[in-house]
Amino acid sequence: MCRNIHTLHNFEPAASSEEVHAAALQYVRKIAGTTKPSKANQEAFDRAVHEIAHITQHLLDDLVAVTPPKNREEEAAKARERAIKSGRYAAA
């Protein structure tokens, strides 16, 4: 469930609000143990996603990096290469 949560700090371009929301959603899904809450829990679920996304954005805004930002495309390419070499994914 949490495989979609990636490091969001110190990348160029910076994490978008959509990426922050997606990470918050994955976190809440993991904690709640469900990908789709019941109608009775929907409001609490949505509120938690909103609040976690909000505080996550504040955290990202306040963090100080001591190294230059990483390039998103280059890091994604490196991750794909590692996955292919490990045998987790076939080369396309």
Side-chain angles (χ1 to χ4, degrees), residues 2 6 15-16 22-23 27 30 34 36-37 40 43 46 52 54 58 61 64-65 70-71 77 82-83 87-89:
C2 282
H6 301 285
S16 67
Y27 176 79
K30 183 67 170 186
T34 182
K36 178 129 177 69
E43 185 179 336
D46 292 343
I52 290 169
H54 180 77
H58 280 290
D61 292 343
V64 176
K70 299 173 191 162
N71 179 285
R82 286 191 301 270
R88 288 182 288 163
Y89 300 102

Side-chain angles (χ1 to χ4, degrees), residues 8-52:
L8 299 177
H9 174 61
N10 201 24
F11 279 96
E12 190 60 44
S16 67
S17 59
E18 291 81 16
E19 289 172 304
V20 171
H21 180 270
L25 178 61
Q26 288 298 317
Y27 176 79
V28 172
R29 284 176 173 172
K30 183 67 170 186
I31 296 301
T34 182
T35 58
K36 178 129 177 69
S38 67
K39 287 183 181 182
N41 292 324
Q42 187 69 53
E43 185 179 336
F45 190 91
D46 292 343
R47 185 175 55 249
V49 171
H50 174 76
E51 290 177 4
I52 290 169

Side-chain angles (χ1 to χ4, degrees), residues 48-83:
V49 171
H50 174 76
E51 290 177 4
I52 290 169
H54 180 77
I55 198 67
T56 298
Q57 188 62 62
H58 280 290
L59 172 64
L60 292 172
D61 292 343
D62 292 345
L63 289 174
V64 176
V66 294
T67 60
K70 299 173 191 162
N71 179 285
R72 283 182 182 277
E73 290 76 26
E74 289 174 7
E75 294 301 315
K78 288 179 193 176
R80 280 190 297 277
E81 277 298 313
R82 286 191 301 270

